[in-house]
Amino acid sequence: MAEVFHIKGLGGEKKLSGQLPVYGAKNAALKILAAAPLFADELRITNVPDILDIRSLTTLLDSQGIATSRPSPREIVCSPAKTLNSVLDTEISKRLRASIVLTGPLLARTGKVSFPHPGGCVIGERSIDMFLEAYEKMGATVTHERGAYIISAPKGLSGADLFFHVPSVTGTETIMMTAVYADGITRIYNAAMEPEIAHLAEFLNACGARIKGAGTSTIEISGTTDLLRTDGASYTTPPDRIETGSFLILAALAGDQLTVTGVNPDEVRSLLSVFEILSIPFVVEGDRITVSGSAPEISQKRLVVKTAGYPGFPTDLQAPLVVLLTQTRGEALVFETIFEGRLAYTEELERMGADVVLMDPHRVLVKGPKPLRGRDLESPDLRAGLAFLLAATIAKGDSVLHNVENIDRGYERIEDRLANVGLSISRETLGT
Ligand code: EPU
């Protein structure tokens, strides 16, 4: 049954206060789960957020022959597989981008894998050409039949020198894990540098992998023939830097002293530097950041923010940032460089009263401040959905946000956490 959020907008008042704890990173937990086929013993993952994308991936792992269990709400244990099924479930793979990451470890372990084009948020073309090219260069054959990619390497994979024409996050993670079991050395040039990649490599290395340079643009992996072993160690999911950024933006928009807790401040530097430009006061104390309510302002003629790979401004915070800019005095140009379909949501902000002009599919001009009006909203994808939640929070009047499963994919029970800091929000099932 379809669920919606009912949100009573604050109408420009800054009322939210208290503490907002950040949970484990979706895009880190998904990748260590996808690494499960590489392990000879039990893999225990802690601080896992209880979100839909994680549930989809554990269901997928179960159907590949890796039994997963949840001894406690934020803990997942993957049992070592006796036999691995290398045909990915079509229905789950089509709704989850991270399913592509599992193809690497499965191919490395079994010498074959087949899967449909992966799904996930509809934010652009989301090609997988670099994955396929890398598999071929590592010695596999790639065919496409009846809607499925079939990758085959009956004699195993060999190390290769690979240059990524775009620094893909999932591409880097997948090929790094595949190379752990390839014969010889693999080098990935122009690799993505997101912190989740270094975190993953660190754990794999502690379990027997030999990966150098993860977190930089060149990664070197020396293959091994032994399966990895945790020997009882567990992977602790780091705090979600995108959730951190989303909550900080909420605090800037609607907070009267809101503290975001359990964060890694180093990983949100690009956002904090924008806060400095907008004169938004914040205090960093250890793993907590407190933001005080303010009237943000751009002092220069025009602010330009371009999304980029880490440590640049993350594309996943682009939509929440645009909402903040609608409430900021001055003019800003936001340039989405990573995905070509990630600004469509701005039309809805315009209907709410924002002054946003889509210059082309990659650039939006925002002039503020403009008060927003509450509306019926459809969450188009995870991050734009969160941006609508922010817009509804500050709007005058009530909003109903549909398609909340898009938000549930990446944010655990967000309504409970926002209600705790003073927002009037409830989850309702339509037709009841
Ligand atoms: N690309 C190619 N060929 C490929 C792979 C990617 O051309 O083979 C292009 C993409 O089309 C895109 C660019 O490379 O234009 C970068 O995409 P990337 O591959 O880095 O994105 P991703 O790995 O599919 C991950 C996150 C996204 C996040 C991006 C960018 C996961 C599961 N997803 O996606 O997260 O936006 O990196 O940081 O890790 C989200 O959490 O809401 C989300 C969409």
Side-chain angles (χ1 to χ4, degrees), residues 80-374:
K82 290 194 181 69
T83 46
L84 280 166
N85 163 18
S86 57
V87 179
L88 255 63
D89 180 275
T90 306
E91 196 260 323
I92 302 175
S93 308
K94 281 193 162 170
R95 61 169 194 253
L96 185 68
R97 174 73 183 180
S99 62
I100 184 78
V101 186
L102 187 56
T103 66
L106 282 177
L107 174 65
R109 275 291 304 274
T110 66
K112 56 186 192 284
V113 66
S114 68
F115 56 94
H117 195 83
C121 287
V122 186
I123 51 182
E125 198 191 331
R126 308 198 83 177
S127 156
I128 59 163
D129 58 340
M130 291 188 301
F131 295 76
L132 303 179
E133 243 176 76
Y135 290 154
E136 277 183 330
K137 285 204 170 142
M138 295 174 85
T141 55
V142 175
T143 51
H144 193 254
E145 279 169 34
R146 289 190 292 276
Y149 298 98
I150 301 165
I151 322 291
S152 172
K155 297 197 184 108
L157 297 165
S158 322
D161 271 7
L162 306 166
F163 182 89
F164 281 176
H165 65 84
V166 186
S168 163
V169 175
T170 47
T172 303
E173 293 159 335
T174 306
I175 302 307
M176 185 174 88
M177 292 203 270
T178 311
V180 165
Y181 281 124
D183 181 24
I185 294 179
T186 298
R187 290 185 196 87
I188 307 174
Y189 298 99
N190 201 25
M193 301 193 287
E194 270 57 15
E196 294 78 22
I197 300 171
H199 204 264
L200 173 67
E202 200 183 311
F203 185 74
L204 298 179
N205 282 344
C207 299
R210 290 176 295 169
I211 303 168
K212 284 196 275 190
T216 75
S217 64
T218 304
I219 305 181
E220 185 180 289
I221 308 107
S222 305
T224 152
T225 46
D226 299 323
L227 286 176
L228 304 183
R229 298 199 71 90
T230 63
D231 288 329
S234 54
Y235 174 92
T236 305
T237 313
D240 195 312
R241 66 195 163 88
I242 304 301
E243 184 167 284
T244 304
S246 308
F247 287 170
L248 290 172
I249 291 174
L250 173 75
L253 280 165
D256 167 27
Q257 291 276 331
L258 201 58
T259 302
V260 185
T261 64
V263 311
N264 181 346
D266 286 344
E267 294 182 356
V268 287
R269 277 187 204 284
S270 59
L271 176 65
L272 293 178
S273 80
V274 173
F275 276 19
E276 279 166 2
I277 295 170
L278 304 187
S279 305
I280 295 170
F282 64 88
V283 178
V284 179
E285 284 166 304
D287 67 351
R288 305 151 60 89
I289 304 176
T290 301
V291 181
S292 316
S294 68
E297 187 168 339
I298 301 166
S299 49
Q300 62 219 54
K301 189 163 173 279
R302 179 192 271 184
L303 169 70
V304 179
V305 180
K306 277 190 187 184
T307 62
Y310 190 83
F313 194 90
T315 170
D316 292 340
L317 286 179
Q318 174 261 110
L321 175 72
V322 167
V323 176
L324 177 60
L325 293 171
T326 67
Q327 304 307 305
T328 301
R329 183 165 306 283
E331 187 175 292
L333 182 78
V334 176
F335 194 162
E336 169 56 59
T337 71
I338 311 285
F339 294 108
E340 59 281 356
R342 223 175 190 185
L343 289 175
Y345 72 90
T346 54
E347 265 184 44
E348 194 64 73
L349 291 184
E350 198 177 1
R351 287 190 206 105
M352 295 179 84
D355 185 349
V356 283
V357 179
L358 197 57
M359 321 274 283
D360 59 52
H362 284 281
R363 293 180 309 154
V364 65
L365 188 65
V366 193
K367 289 185 196 157
K370 280 276 189 278
L372 303 183
R373 296 177 295 274

Side-chain angles (χ1 to χ4, degrees), residues 384-399:
L386 193 279
F388 285 172
L389 185 46
L390 298 178
T393 298
I394 56 171
K396 189 168 170 48
D398 294 359
S399 295

